[in-house]
């Protein structure tokens, strides 16, 4: 990577500012999934082992007004992190700045950890965090000693005070291990793939993925389309789609993508359809791509699974984003499972899941360990797949 990483700086006895992504799901104050905390551990532990003092920043949810603060404190995260690290994590409820926070930071010893309160508490008074208020970035940078480690891939596509703002005010803004790995897997796959490079895109909406499809049609050898967005493409081809998902205002875009893609763009050849989304009384496979009137295509069919597996065969790089069907329902999981089987069974394949629902599908269906990389950032990985620069990465110091 052209940017400095945490290994390029001297951390001993230094106050090291670290942006992590602790935006975890919380229910009644209890963390329901702590993957994001675990994903940040290698960087935090490295800093502590090197004798640094880690001062951690993260956002949690959205905070627009005072009432939104309720349930958005990082207090439960400080406790959970302390348990994982096996040492207390200093935390001052409500403090994103001020004398008490500054004194607590000054009192840290080598190997100590402090977590700053939810950075978005600073959004109440003029969106200072989310609009990258220069005063706020400079203030937070001033709490450290010239070193900032960005390990929050999930927010790297945003220019906020707690990533870009701090970076602009320190001598060394460097990548943590998670950020470094995310970039190495996703950006390298798109920019310098080992070929054949197959991209597989699913999920519900074409509108979310137009930029990704366009970029990958240029970079990949094949772009396979599945999921709910299939039907906008089918309708654009004049096929019957019954009551399937369709974005009428994206038919022209779908037509243009089909024309641009030519043989590279691969669509399903059959569907698994039902007579309702929920409470259906009939489920069957279609013969061809057309969906029966009154039915909804809710998964790719068996012929498509076979065809997609043949298209994936021999791939050395696969990027997958978006389930092939309504994978949350066991009746419509076969397409997503079939495609995952095809991906992970290729020898020497670099297999990458671009976050969001496909990551959830792989984890819930027991495939997490079989992929080379599962991205922790939905929006950020989509922007990388679109070929966009990530402001949080651009802001880091060159090697
Ligand atoms: P996205 O958030 O765009 O990646 O879409 C993921 C969602 O798309 C999942 O919740 C799936 O259940 C849904 N999905 C996938 N295929 C279909 C389909 N054929 N019809 C309706 N929803 C679908």
């Amino acid at each position: 990577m052209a940017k400095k990483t945490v290994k390029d700086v001297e951390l001993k006895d230094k106050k090291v500012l670290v942006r992590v992504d602790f935006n975890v799901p919380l229910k009644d104050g209890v963390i329901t999934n702590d993957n994001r905390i675990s994903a940040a551990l290698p960087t935090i532990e490295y800093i502590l082992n090197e004798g640094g003092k880690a001062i951690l920043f993260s956002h949690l949810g959205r905070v627009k007004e005072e009432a939104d603060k309720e349930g958005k404190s990082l207090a439960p995260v400080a406790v959970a992190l302390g348990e994982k690290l096996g040492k207390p994590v200093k935390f001052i409820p409500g403090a994103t700045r001020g004398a008490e926070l500054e004194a607590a930071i000054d009192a840290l010893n080598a190997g100590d950890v402090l977590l700053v309160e939810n950075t978005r508490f600073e959004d109440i008074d003029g969106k200072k965090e989310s609009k990258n208020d220069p005063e706020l970035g400079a203030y937070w940078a001033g709490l450290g000693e010239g070193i900032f480690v960005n390990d929050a891939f999930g927010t790297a596509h945003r220019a906020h005070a707690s990533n870009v703002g701090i970076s602009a005010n320190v001598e060394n803004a460097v990548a943590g291990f998670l950020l470094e790995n995310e970039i190495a897997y996703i950006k390298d796959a798109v920019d310098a793939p080992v070929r054949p490079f197959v991209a597989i895109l699913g999920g519900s909406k074409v509108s979310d993925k137009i930029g990704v499809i366009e970029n990958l049609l240029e970079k990949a050898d094949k772009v396979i389309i599945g999921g709910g967005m299939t039907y906008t493409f089918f309708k654009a081809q004049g096929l019957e789609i019954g009551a399937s998902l369709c974005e009428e205002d994206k038919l022209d875009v779908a037509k243009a993508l089909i024309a641009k893609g030519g043989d590279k763009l691969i669509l399903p050849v059959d569907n698994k359809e039902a007579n309702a989304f929920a409470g259906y009384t009939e489920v069957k496979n279609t013969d061809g791509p057309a969906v029966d009137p009154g039915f909804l295509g809710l998964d790719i069919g068996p012929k498509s699974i076979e065809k997609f597996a043949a298209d994936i065969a021999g791939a050395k790089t696969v990027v997958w984003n978006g389930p092939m069907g309504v994978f949350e329902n066991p009746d419509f999981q076969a397409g997503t499972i079939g495609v995952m089987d095809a991906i992970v069974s290729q020898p020497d394949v670099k297999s990458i899941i671009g976050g969001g629902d496909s990551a959830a599908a792989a984890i819930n269906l027991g495939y997490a360990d079989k992929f080379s990389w599962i991205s922790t950032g939905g929006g950020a990985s989509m922007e990388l797949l679109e070929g966009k620069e990530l402001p949080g990465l651009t802001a880091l110091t060159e090697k």
Side-chain angles (χ1 to χ4, degrees):
M1 182 148 90
K3 300 292 186 180
K4 281 192 182 178
T5 78
V6 66
K7 288 210 160 163
D8 296 320
V9 282
E10 175 61 47
L11 304 168
K12 193 158 171 40
D13 292 321
K14 291 273 168 52
K15 294 176 194 162
V16 183
L17 307 172
V18 192
R19 177 59 157 100
V20 286
D21 180 1
F22 286 163
N23 186 28
V24 292
L26 278 167
K27 197 164 190 281
D28 303 325
V30 178
I31 298 168
T32 53
N33 180 332
D34 63 5
N35 283 347
R36 285 185 165 151
I37 302 177
S38 301
L41 289 179
T43 296
I44 298 170
E45 283 173 339
Y46 177 81
I47 293 166
L48 303 181
N49 289 339
E50 292 289 303
K53 308 168 186 179
I55 300 149
L56 312 176
F57 295 82
S58 176
H59 76 286
L60 177 64
R62 289 212 174 107
V63 182
K64 287 189 187 143
E65 51 192 60
E66 202 59 38
D68 296 337
K69 283 186 174 178
E70 181 71 35
K72 302 267 173 59
S73 170
L74 282 171
V77 175
V79 175
L81 176 65
E83 282 165 11
K84 285 185 188 290
L85 290 171
K87 60 169 69 181
V89 171
K90 181 80 189 156
F91 180 76
I92 299 164
T96 51
R97 59 167 86 208
E100 201 185 345
L101 178 68
E102 291 160 25
I105 291 172
D106 283 339
L108 293 175
N109 293 311
D112 284 352
V113 193
L114 178 145
L115 176 62
V116 175
E117 180 61 282
N118 186 353
T119 54
R120 296 221 176 134
F121 281 18
E122 289 282 347
D123 275 350
I124 291 172
D125 186 15
K127 291 208 159 213
K128 291 198 170 80
E129 154 73 327
S130 297
K131 290 206 165 148
N132 189 13
D133 177 80
E135 182 273 330
L136 182 60
Y139 171 76
W140 278 337
L143 298 174
E145 291 174 284
I147 304 170
F148 171 58
V149 181
N150 189 358
D151 210 23
F153 177 71
T155 44
H157 59 314
R158 305 273 182 240
H160 289 173
S162 64
N163 59 357
V164 172
I166 299 178
S167 297
N169 289 284
V170 294
E171 194 184 333
N172 279 300
V174 304
F177 298 124
L178 176 64
L179 183 67
E180 188 185 8
N181 271 325
E182 291 273 12
I183 301 300
Y185 276 100
I186 305 175
K187 203 168 160 54
D188 289 1
V190 177
D191 291 345
V194 180
R195 294 187 187 274
F197 170 24
V198 178
I200 304 161
L201 301 170
S204 51
K205 290 187 185 159
V206 184
S207 49
D208 290 344
K209 299 204 170 122
I210 297 167
V212 176
I213 299 171
E214 275 179 346
N215 190 40
L216 292 179
L217 277 175
E218 275 163 29
K219 305 275 172 65
D221 299 300
K222 292 174 190 170
V223 177
I224 296 174
I225 303 278
M229 67 169 155
T230 302
Y231 304 100
T232 304
F233 285 94
F234 279 177
K235 184 147 187 190
Q237 290 177 315
L239 287 162
E240 171 66 52
I241 62 163
S244 307
L245 270 188
C246 180
E247 287 173 277
E248 297 285 342
D249 60 338
K250 291 291 174 289
L251 291 173
D252 286 345
V253 173
K255 268 184 204 154
L257 289 170
I258 291 167
K260 178 178 174 180
D263 291 346
K264 254 193 193 182
L265 189 82
I266 300 167
L267 289 162
V269 290
D270 65 346
N271 315 280
K272 193 167 186 189
E273 61 176 15
N275 59 348
F277 187 86
Y280 43 84
T281 52
E282 215 182 324
V283 180
K284 55 186 165 74
N285 295 321
T286 59
D287 283 336
V291 176
D292 287 306
F295 281 72
L296 301 87
L298 295 177
D299 196 6
I300 57 172
K303 292 176 195 167
S304 304
I305 297 174
E306 207 174 308
K307 174 163 180 14
F308 288 0
D311 287 317
I312 293 165
K316 290 287 176 248
T317 305
V318 177
V319 169
W320 171 44
N321 187 297
M324 295 291 101
V326 183
F327 74 98
E328 299 91 339
N329 179 342
D331 281 342
F332 307 108
Q333 273 174 2
T336 300
I337 292 175
V339 163
M340 285 197 290
D341 278 330
I343 298 170
V344 302
S345 62
Q346 300 311 312
D348 306 322
V349 67
K350 199 180 200 186
S351 52
I352 297 154
I353 301 184
D357 270 312
S358 14
I363 293 165
N364 296 343
L365 297 170
Y367 283 72
D369 295 341
K370 298 180 178 169
F371 282 84
S372 311
W373 187 251
I374 301 183
S375 178
T376 57
S381 62
M382 291 288 282
E383 294 207 7
L384 275 186
L385 295 178
E386 269 187 79
K388 289 187 180 163
E389 293 286 320
L390 303 182
L393 179 68
T394 307
L396 300 184
T397 314
E398 294 290 328
K399 264 202 181 163

